[in-house]
Every structure is written in C-alpha cells, then in structure tokens.
Amino acid sequence: MDKIFELIEKEKQRQQNSLMMIPSENYTYPEVLEAVGSILMQKYAEGYPGRRYYQGNEIVDEIEELARNRALKAFNLDPEKFHANVQAHSGSEANLGVYNALLNAGDKIMSMYLPDGGHLSHGWRMGDKKTTFVSKMFEVEFYKVNPETRLFDYEQIEKQALVFRPKLIISGGTAYPREIDYKRMSEIAKKVGAYYLADVAHEAGLIAAGVCQSPFEYADIVTMTTHKTLRGPRGAIIICKKELGQQLDMAIMPGLQGGPHLHSIAGIAVALEKTKTDEFLNYAKQTVKNAQKLSEILVKGGLDVVSLGTDKHLIVVDLRDKEQSGWFTAWAMEKAGIIMNRNTVPNETASPFYPSGIRLGTPALTVRGMREGEMEQIGKWILEVIDIVGKQSVSAEAEERKVDLKKFMSEIEGNQRLKEIKQMVEKLCGKFPIYEK
Ligand SMILES: Cc1ncc(COP(=O)(O)O)c(C=O)c1O
C-alpha cells in the first residue's frame, strides 16, 4: 500500500481519538467525501453553466447550477435579487475575487486589524513590510476593537472611515466571538460611498440555520468558506446582489482562476442541501449552546475569556494574566489530546507566532454528539492543563527562547497528568465515534 494511505488511516485515528477544537475545522458528511473523491475531478469546464470554453458539460452544468441554487436556498435568498458564485477555490480566493470585481489597484480597503481577530486575506503588513498580496495591491487600513470591551466600536469605525474614505469596508474575521452589527456596518459604508463586504467564513453554517444573524440584507457582497460551520468540503461561496453578479463571475473566471473544481462544487451542493434538515438545525443550535457552556466553565475557572463569552461557535482566551503564552498552552493541550490553536488577542503585545492567547471552538465536538455535560468535563481538563503549564511567558531573546521551548517540550512529553488526561480524552472520544469501523 502507498505510504500516503497508511498516513491517511493514521490521521483518521487521530481525528477520532482527539478533541478537534480548532473552530475552523469540522467533520464533513460521508456523502461529501464521496462527491469530492469522485470522477468529477477529471472534468475541465472553464466558464459558467451554459457558457463554457470546453465541451462535454451537460452534466457538470447541472451540478454547478444545483450548487448555485442551493446556495441561495440555504440562506433563504430570492434568486431574482441575489446571485451566487461557487467557483472560488478557497475563502481567500473568494475575497480576492471580490476585490478584483470591485476595486482597481491602489484603491482603499478598510478591514479588521489582524491581531484583534481579522483575516490575512483582508490585508496585512508587519510594520513597513507589506506581508500580503492584498496589502501590496491596495491601500489597506485597519480598524481595531475597543481596547476595554474588546468589541467592535462602531462610532470609532465610522470616524475612521470618514477620514480614510475607503472604497471597500470589510467585516468578519477568524477570532471575533460576538455578533457583528451588519446593518450598522452597511450604514457606515453607505455614508462614505464604499462597498460593504461581509466575510462570514466562520459563521456561514450558523447563519444558514438561523442561529446567527444574517448579513444578506445589508452587505453588497458576502463571502464564506464551506468547510467550517457549514460542514462542507474545502471551498467557498460568494453571494452578491444580482446587479453585481456578472461583474463578480468575470472577476473569478477569467479574472482570477482557471477551471472550477467540480468535485468540490458537488460536495458543496451536498452540504448545502443538508442545511435544510432538522439534524443540521439541531447541530447549529447545540454548537452555540456548547460554546456558551464551555466559556461559562472557563470564566468560572478564572480565565480571561475575550468579551466574557460568545454568541457563536468560538471562544478566545487571553492568557496574559496567567503569565502564559498561547504557544505553550496549545502544545500542552495537544499532549493531552485537546487540539486547539494559539491565537493573537485584542491589545496584543506579543508576536503572531508566540501570541498571548488560545482560540477554541465546538462545531466538530457537536457533530460527534457531545453536549453540555461533555463541555463541563472538557472545560475542567482545559483548566487543569493551563494550571500544569503554569507561568510560561516567551522571552524576547531569540536564543534564550529556543532553549526555553525545548526544555518545555521535554517536560510536557514526560508529564504524567497530561498522559492521564489524554487517556480520559480518548475514552470520551470512544463514546462518540465519528467513523464507523
Ligand atoms: C474570515 C475568514 N476569511 C477567509 C478565510 C480564508 O479561507 P481559506 O483558508 O479557505 O482561504 C478564513 C479562513 O480561516 C477566514 O476565517
């Protein structure tokens, strides 16, 4: 057997036996895996249904048409008023497609500050160094959350927009645990004559289920990934007002990409159809309930949970008052079978590689059937791991840091209690099998 398949089997076991708490990860459906692994992968079909540059498209046209229609249906949108594009290969490319549709090189974008929870595809620079293509192509300015509340400060965003005069305002990010006021953001955009893009990569599934607020009435364009709370394959959907539809399609193909990944589009269509089931609705509701229960346990346990809770599937914890860096915490959690990621936090004082916080989420645990009772148990383990890690801040001195990190890794490798928690985690996971044997 090819080594790759042995490794896939090992990865499957890892996903079965650990707690998948990275909020952007999820378990998809067997039918999605089947569609994505299908012969559709073999077809080239540059263009759009009914208007392709290749022959032999009668079936794939139907598939892409179904995916586009289901995208609108999933969010209860009128096909007379809205348009969906399902071809962007990823969330980042969906955003690039939007910029390509609406902006010219050098135009101004205003988006959320990355360390506060924004996303790289909304532009980023490190000091003078323009790290992303978006920042090289456009003039990007960032808005920050209020340093006290760690929430969006709409008055401040408005003031900044009035001075900066962007052509595009973006909301959305990777680590903002609260609802965004889409209406307010659209009013700010209108006031300065900007387009408004709501990137709901994280929340898409929760919006489809009606558990989180919907941006469609307010935003000119909405982008989302399909593999997070939506439970589909890797990919993206862009939905815009009908009048921008043709411009958007052209911006993706031929503007940005070649052939659509029809296997992914088929998988997206399958996942979208599932959003209309009771099972999906229950999953979405329970995902939020689980996240709220977990954040309650963490707050009670003395952690600085950003904004003291969550409206969604994700929680951000600032570890600075524990004198702990997210790097250490995330590694110790992994040794205990709890997979989350280190993350920057509002008012960040450290570097993105050794940030001050952690980010954790509940979609994948919820798909497995875990509920509030399990969240209580998992919350206790998380608090215990944080206690085991103790005071571990990252020293600024690079050489010294290397030594610190190595020493820490060997200590946690040998930590008996982390091993015990890992065993308990595996036992819990065994009660919630994700794959049939
Ligand atoms: C808000 C937001 N936008 C865009 C993306 C990019 O998605 P992808 O990783 O598919 O490029 C992400 C991914 O985490 C995201 O959270």
Side-chain angles (χ1 to χ4, degrees):
M1 191 175 33
D2 188 322
K3 171 107 177 128
I4 287 293
F5 296 101
E6 273 171 40
L7 292 173
I8 291 174
E9 184 52 35
K10 277 190 182 163
E11 171 61 12
K12 190 171 166 186
Q13 294 310 319
R14 188 196 69 79
Q15 291 188 14
Q16 162 62 38
N17 295 325
S18 57
L19 296 171
M20 197 155 126
M21 296 188 74
I22 293 175
S24 40
E25 291 182 349
N26 212 337
Y27 298 102
T28 191
Y29 309 90
E31 298 96 313
V32 169
L33 293 175
E34 195 181 329
V36 173
S38 74
I39 47 81
L40 290 170
M41 198 175 304
Q42 296 156 195
K43 181 76 193 99
Y44 241 107
E46 281 183 5
Y48 289 95
R51 210 162 37 84
R52 306 275 191 193
Y53 292 85
Y54 288 69
Q55 296 308 121
N57 302 305
E58 71 271 29
I59 315 287
V60 295
D61 272 7
E62 212 175 312
I63 289 174
E64 187 169 345
E65 217 32 277
L66 260 177
R68 296 209 286 199
N69 293 337
R70 286 180 184 182
L72 297 183
K73 206 171 110 204
F75 297 98
N76 301 316
L77 299 173
D78 180 353
E80 294 297 315
K81 294 191 181 140
F82 290 90
H83 173 84
N85 182 302
V86 292
Q87 290 198 3
H89 297 156
S90 72
S92 300
E93 284 197 51
N95 287 335
L96 281 181
V98 171
Y99 310 149
N100 198 23
L102 304 180
L103 307 178
N104 290 309
D107 278 348
K108 292 177 177 180
I109 299 178
M110 205 170 120
S111 60
M112 189 181 185
Y113 187 58
L114 187 71
D116 283 4
H119 190 260
L120 273 173
S121 63
H122 304 167
W124 183 238
R125 62 173 176 262
M126 307 273 258
D128 285 344
K129 194 162 175 261
K130 293 183 171 177
T131 320
T132 63
F133 181 64
V134 179
S135 276
K136 284 180 191 158
M137 285 298 292
F138 305 103
E139 193 183 334
V140 188
E141 189 167 291
F142 304 102
Y143 57 87
K144 294 187 174 179
V145 294
N146 178 299
E148 300 298 318
T149 61
R150 296 177 281 183
L151 299 175
F152 269 38
D153 182 339
Y154 296 97
E155 263 179 48
Q156 184 52 40
I157 296 171
E158 181 172 321
K159 273 190 205 153
Q160 201 176 336
L162 282 165
V163 175
F164 184 58
R165 312 291 309 183
K167 192 165 172 192
L168 176 70
I169 296 185
I170 310 175
S171 70
T174 60
Y176 189 70
R178 295 297 183 177
E179 286 275 17
I180 289 170
D181 187 342
Y182 300 117
K183 183 167 182 283
R184 186 81 174 87
M185 289 301 288
S186 78
E187 286 164 358
I188 297 170
K190 274 204 190 82
K191 201 164 179 176
V192 299
Y195 288 107
Y196 172 35
L197 162 64
D199 179 346
V200 296
H202 266 268
E203 304 83 0
L206 306 179
I207 294 169
V211 172
C212 275
Q213 284 164 25
S214 168
F216 295 98
E217 194 185 335
Y218 306 109
D220 297 296
I221 299 207
V222 176
T223 53
M224 67 192 80
T225 51
T226 45
H227 43 274
K228 298 187 176 92
T229 51
L230 208 45
R231 288 197 65 191
R234 292 209 109 80
I237 300 174
I238 311 172
I239 295 179
C240 64
K241 301 265 163 67
K242 193 96 183 167
E243 54 273 24
L244 288 173
Q246 207 186 350
Q247 202 173 327
L248 174 72
D249 282 355
M250 291 290 286
I252 294 286
M253 157 63 213
L256 191 66
Q257 295 183 171
H261 292 183
L262 292 153
H263 51 302
S264 300
I265 290 174
I268 289 170
V270 171
L272 286 169
E273 192 66 358
K274 300 268 189 194
T275 62
K276 293 292 168 198
T277 61
D278 286 345
E279 185 199 348
F280 188 83
L281 181 63
N282 292 336
Y283 140 79
K285 279 188 190 156
Q286 191 62 43
T287 293
V288 177
K289 278 193 204 163
N290 282 351
Q292 288 173 340
K293 184 68 190 176
L294 186 58
S295 74
E296 187 190 308
I297 304 291
L298 301 183
V299 170
K300 272 196 201 145
L303 294 191
D304 180 11
V305 171
V306 170
S307 83
L308 289 171
T310 181
D311 298 327
K312 304 178 184 166
H313 60 300
L314 68 86
I315 301 164
V316 181
V317 179
D318 186 331
L319 293 161
R320 278 175 293 192
D321 58 359
K322 295 271 167 204
E323 293 182 46
Q324 205 167 105
S325 157
W327 189 93
F328 293 96
T329 322
W331 272 111
M333 293 286 174
E334 179 162 343
K335 298 295 164 201
I338 305 170
I339 310 298
M340 59 179 65
N341 59 295
R342 62 189 191 274
N343 216 87
T344 54
V345 292
N347 314 313
E348 183 59 82
T349 41
S351 76
F353 203 77
Y354 298 105
S356 302
I358 44 172
R359 183 184 70 145
L360 52 158
T362 52
L365 301 187
T366 311
V367 169
R368 298 183 82 146
M370 294 186 190
R371 300 172 74 89
E372 284 92 331
E374 286 74 35
M375 296 307 119
E376 288 202 29
Q377 179 56 71
I378 293 166
K380 284 184 196 151
W381 286 330
I382 290 172
L383 290 167
E384 204 182 334
V385 173
I386 288 175
D387 272 352
I388 291 170
V389 174
K391 289 186 184 178
Q392 299 279 0
S393 53
V394 172
S395 138
E397 225 296 302
E399 274 313 301
E400 198 183 318
R401 188 167 65 206
K402 263 189 225 149
V403 176
D404 289 350
L405 302 186
K406 261 196 190 155
K407 184 166 158 270
F408 175 78
M409 287 304 270
S410 78
E411 274 169 18
I412 55 166
E413 289 286 353
N415 187 293
Q416 195 48 37
R417 185 58 188 158
L418 290 179
K419 284 185 188 149
E420 282 165 18
I421 296 176
K422 189 172 181 5
Q423 278 172 4
M424 290 188 282
V425 162
E426 280 177 14
K427 205 164 157 207
L428 176 70
C429 290
K431 287 193 207 154
F432 295 91
I434 189 73
Y435 303 113
E436 280 161 30
K437 276 270 165 211

